[in-house]
């Protein structure tokens, strides 16, 4: 089996082909500044593999992933990447390469990769939530091997949280909600709070603890709503020490209210090798769409 | 088909038998103060119907609903109803009445009833969230016709929310979390804020608006996480006018960030007749367990 993966990011497309053991056979990265150019390079990459069986796409967005929508496969008008508005990723790929395609969000692709990789390691896992914390905050969910969302993709970066008592003067950066989670805990909030880029803010600066407090609340919300087997935090803002700060607040906020696995197994950083969660997820989604056929919006494998 | 329903509440058990159109044939209510007595009356009620095919149970809790757990069917040690600790509802019923049984939480039963009733009315519905706001706050979720929860049932009453600026002095009533949603927006908070029972607090009292603000945030969290087709608010605190206040805050907080149906269709009160959401849900869960057999924890019908 020869499986394709497109990690379609706002700054680059990572294209790969691999086998059903999720081993990468070849991989190339293209800038995503100019859609026509990026898509041409993407198509040409996959055309070099005439044996290709199927492609999984994990895309920035918002992207329409519901099969019954007229704009299925399209990066919608709401994307901040103006050049990509109304670009139909699925149609462009399928018109050039006649294989089954499965598309989901970038974070869902990563969540799925973590789900698959955990299964591969022999962990008992049914459900996983994946947060990415970088210039924004996004989250993907896999429940019993499926994606969810009757009305579209998750946008859990924009939930409200209890304000930290030492952070009340900060209005938050979200243009839509001010002090939602993304407005309070994404990477750019370092600049706003301290005047420095996050890379230059030492971990004992209070701004880290404030952000950990907010992210811990998000993890509590997700714990009490989804009851997943684990919650993964990825993205440029994360580090093992910062994750420990999140764990500490999470423990205080949840206060033992529901049973969860040991914290160091429950709240983790991505465990797929080489930052490859989304690629592993894409490969497996490609395998699934090859087996089940297109038309299963939620990667059914119950 | 003769289907059984047990709405096992902390103050009363509502037992019913009905048909596959969810029409109640007979119904009786028993006090739930003394478990032995209540369970005896419950069993005797159903023993009057030797044709009974299956029973659905929607239970107060926390109750263990995961089939692979040793204490499946048990009201756990965490229940505030001390007399009911470690009572095995499923075993008690099945030992006396030899039919397939499906058990879920009271709020999941209501969510399922709303899901089924909406389908019956011809609504396009895949997923529904049901909040009950009374002495506590609980919530149930149906996603694509299934219940979820790899690690157990939802406890969405205990999420944190952004504090209302006029409510900062109130510490909240939750013994576990202080100012979680339940601690801030359940019925007893009227007494704590105003010294009066909620029934005697006029709707223009600011405490109503504060509670609506918190419940709206919960609905936003759920909207961005689950993307359900609708969110139902039930329980003694709800009224059409209070729901309108929740809608107003919801609209402000979501700020159009994701597409939802018109607000009066999206945020509703229970629409199953005669306060019968859980009974309808139980009947359908009984029908499902009869068809699919026991062993399907999540009422699979994808």
């Amino acid at each position: 089996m020869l499986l394709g993966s497109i990690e379609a990011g706002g700054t680059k497309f990572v294209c790969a082909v691999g086998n059903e053991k999720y081993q990468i056979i070849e991989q190339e990265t293209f800038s995503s500044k100019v859609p026509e150019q990026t898509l041409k390079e993407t198509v040409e990459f996959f055309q070099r593999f005439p044996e290709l069986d199927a492609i999984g796409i994990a895309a920035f967005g918002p992207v329409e992933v519901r099969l019954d929508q007229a704009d299925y496969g399209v990066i919608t008008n709401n994307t901040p990447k103006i050049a990509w508005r109304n670009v139909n990723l699925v149609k462009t790929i399928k018109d050039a390469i006649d294989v089954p395609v499965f598309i989901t969000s970038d974070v869902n692709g990563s969540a799925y990769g973590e789900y698959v990789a955990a299964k591969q390691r022999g962990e008992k896992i049914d459900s996983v939530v994946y947060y990415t914390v970088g210039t924004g905050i996004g989250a993907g969910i896999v429940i019993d091997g499926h994606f969810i969302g009757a009305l579209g993709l998750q946008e859990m970066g924009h939930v409200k949280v209890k304000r930290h008592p030492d952070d009340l003067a900060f209005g938050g950066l979200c243009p839509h909600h001010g002090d939602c989670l993304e407005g309070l805990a994404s990477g750019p909030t370092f600049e706003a709070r301290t005047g420095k880029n996050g890379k230059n803010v030492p971990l004992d600066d209070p701004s880290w603890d404030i952000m950990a407090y907010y992210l811990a609340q998000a993890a509590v919300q997700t714990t009490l709503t989804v009851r997943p087997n684990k919650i993964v935090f990825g993205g440029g803002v994360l580090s093992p020490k910062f994750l420990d700060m999140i764990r500490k607040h999470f423990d205080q906020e949840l206060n033992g209210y529901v049973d969860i696995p040991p914290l160091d197994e429950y709240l983790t950083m991505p465990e797929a090798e080489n930052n490859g969660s989304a690629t592993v997820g894409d490969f497996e989604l490609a395998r699934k769409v090859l087996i089940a056929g297109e038309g299963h919006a939620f990667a059914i494998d119950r």
Side-chain angles (χ1 to χ4, degrees), chain A:
Chain A
M1 225 181 253
L2 197 61
L3 305 167
S5 163
I6 305 175
E7 250 190 276
T11 56
K12 62 184 181 183
F13 272 36
V14 181
C15 299
V17 294
N19 60 26
E20 65 268 38
K21 290 177 179 164
Y22 322 123
Q23 290 159 331
I24 293 170
I25 293 163
E26 201 153 331
Q27 180 169 306
E28 275 195 52
T29 299
F30 310 112
S31 156
S32 56
K33 278 188 193 134
V34 185
E36 294 70 25
Q37 179 66 20
T38 313
L39 291 170
K40 184 168 172 286
E41 288 166 336
T42 297
V43 161
E44 283 171 1
F45 172 81
F46 288 108
Q47 282 173 334
R48 285 163 44 208
F49 304 93
E51 325 266 272
L52 192 71
D53 288 303
I55 296 176
I57 307 176
F60 77 101
V63 61
E64 180 54 75
V65 300
R66 289 172 298 166
L67 286 150
D68 61 353
Q69 299 297 303
D71 57 347
Y72 166 68
V74 171
I75 308 267
T76 70
N77 262 329
N78 295 327
T79 187
K81 312 274 175 196
I82 293 165
W84 284 90
R85 286 185 182 171
N86 296 315
V87 169
N88 193 324
L89 280 181
V90 170
K91 188 175 184 314
T92 308
I93 300 297
K94 281 186 74 80
D95 282 355
I97 304 154
D98 188 22
V99 296
V101 165
F102 189 97
I103 189 164
T104 192
S105 67
D106 42 11
V107 273
N108 265 353
S110 295
Y112 204 71
E114 287 296 310
Y115 166 74
V116 167
K119 275 191 149 178
Q120 233 186 349
R121 289 191 302 270
E123 290 178 29
K124 174 167 165 31
I125 190 156
D126 297 307
S127 302
V128 59
V129 175
Y130 185 104
Y131 283 96
T132 183
V133 188
T135 51
I137 297 180
I141 304 183
V142 177
I143 294 182
D144 297 325
H146 300 247
F147 299 126
I148 65 166
L151 297 184
L153 289 165
Q154 282 70 52
E155 289 288 353
M156 290 149 66
H158 295 270
V159 296
K160 282 282 167 78
V161 285
K162 184 185 175 188
R163 295 301 305 269
H164 190 289
D166 300 337
D167 192 46
L168 297 176
F170 181 51
L173 297 181
C174 176
H176 305 280
H177 309 106
D179 63 353
C180 67
L181 179 67
E182 178 170 299
L184 292 173
S186 59
T189 61
F190 284 113
E191 202 83 39
R193 284 200 187 90
T194 68
K196 291 183 218 161
N197 186 296
K199 286 173 196 138
N200 305 319
V201 180
L203 270 166
D204 57 1
D205 186 281
S207 58
W208 283 102
D209 192 60
I210 288 169
M211 285 166 69
Y213 176 71
Y214 294 136
L215 290 167
Q217 286 185 57
V220 169
Q221 287 179 12
T222 303
T223 295
L224 296 174
T225 305
V226 178
R227 303 296 308 271
N229 295 97
K230 64 162 63 180
I231 299 174
V232 180
F233 282 96
V237 169
L238 261 289
S239 67
K241 281 192 177 166
F242 182 49
L243 181 59
D244 273 340
M245 296 164 78
I246 298 174
R247 287 182 181 135
K248 193 195 75 184
H249 282 293
F250 176 88
D251 199 35
Q252 285 169 1
E253 294 297 316
L254 187 64
N255 197 20
Y257 196 68
V258 294
D259 290 337
I260 51 162
L263 265 185
D264 59 344
E265 295 168 23
Y266 184 64
L267 299 183
T268 70
M269 288 182 65
E271 294 180 88
E273 285 171 29
N274 304 319
N275 200 18
S277 309
T279 302
V280 170
D282 284 346
F283 283 156
E284 178 59 14
L285 290 168
R287 198 181 71 83
K288 286 271 161 60
V289 76
L290 182 63
I291 293 167
E294 289 171 307
H296 299 278
F298 299 111
I300 295 176
D301 74 348
R302 240 178 243 268

